[in-house]
Amino acid sequence: MKENYDKCLEMILHHEGGYVNHPKDPGGETNLGVTKRVYESWVMENDLLSKDMKDLEFEDVAPIYRKNYWDRVKADALPSGVDLCVFDFSVNAGTGRGAKYLQTIVGATADGAIGPNTLRQVDEFVALRGEEDLVVAYSDARRRYYKKLRTFDTFGRGWLRRVDETEIEALKLAGVYLQT
């Protein structure tokens, strides 16, 4: 098992930020990127005491991110750097979409569920072209996706900045050092 999860989650939480309740955000009340609906469901499923959304901390949301996103996209089995890209997009746009974008890029069946066939295709892509090409292709696909959304005028600059920052960090995780 790779040890990237905590590092990747810290990067994601940097983008997700703290407590927000933006009227144009379809997710509604959110803290550390976790919506109230998701948090309340998690609390009930795991027989935990509920906190006010404004009081959530890293420890409260880390297991939610692991189960609902990281594990669902098989991030432990993805190459370093690619794991961050897929994890981040899955948090922001859903695990099915995150998986389908990866599958499309590597030539696997885009069914939204990462399994042995997708992982084999990822390995073949990386063997031929390298992690760097996969990170860059995935980031470019994300940018195209965001630019098509009707809420791009409201949130687009932040989304594109997030992709840019994620791409840089993903390349570092992949062992690609960028010239400054």
Side-chain angles (χ1 to χ4, degrees):
M1 183 160 117
K2 287 190 319 204
E3 299 299 323
N4 283 3
Y5 174 71
D6 285 342
K7 182 182 284 189
C8 290
L9 181 58
E10 286 175 17
M11 291 180 219
I12 285 171
L13 293 181
H14 163 76
H15 291 121
E16 291 294 329
Y19 178 81
V20 291
N21 195 6
H22 194 288
K24 290 189 178 179
D25 186 344
E29 190 176 14
T30 304
N31 194 1
L32 299 173
V34 175
T35 65
K36 184 173 183 163
R37 181 186 57 77
V38 168
Y39 174 68
E40 288 175 347
S41 174
W42 179 261
V43 167
M44 286 177 37
E45 287 173 21
N46 294 282
D47 199 27
L48 301 171
L49 291 176
S50 183
K51 287 184 165 182
D52 186 279
M53 285 299 291
K54 293 178 183 176
D55 297 330
L56 295 185
E57 298 176 7
F58 181 92
E59 298 77 27
D60 298 312
V61 301
I64 297 171
Y65 279 100
R66 180 176 284 280
K67 181 180 180 209
N68 291 355
Y69 302 98
W70 182 266
D71 290 348
R72 202 170 281 165
V73 297
K74 309 285 190 287
D76 277 333
L78 296 174
S80 291
V82 176
D83 54 359
L84 173 59
C85 291
V86 176
F87 181 37
D88 187 64
F89 192 38
S90 295
V91 165
N92 194 245
T95 56
R97 184 171 288 115
K100 285 178 183 177
Y101 274 63
L102 177 66
Q103 291 167 325
T104 298
I105 292 166
V106 301
T109 300
D111 61 8
I114 295 175
N117 194 36
T118 299
L119 294 173
R120 187 172 46 259
Q121 294 289 108
V122 167
D123 290 344
E124 289 174 10
F125 185 101
V126 168
L128 286 172
R129 297 179 47 189
E131 289 93 341
E132 180 178 5
D133 275 6
L134 187 48
V135 166
V136 170
Y138 197 86
S139 300
D140 288 344
R142 285 183 71 181
R143 289 182 188 96
R144 288 189 301 273
Y145 166 77
Y146 290 124
K147 288 177 181 178
K148 293 178 184 176
L149 295 179
R150 70 181 186 331
T151 52
F152 185 79
D153 289 344
T154 304
F155 300 110
R157 284 184 48 206
W159 288 330
L160 295 181
R161 183 177 61 249
R162 179 178 181 149
V163 174
D164 292 345
E165 292 174 6
T166 299
E167 182 177 29
I168 289 167
E169 294 304 317
L171 289 170
K172 289 178 187 176
L173 285 172
V176 177
Y177 300 96
L178 305 171
Q179 302 274 332
T180 55

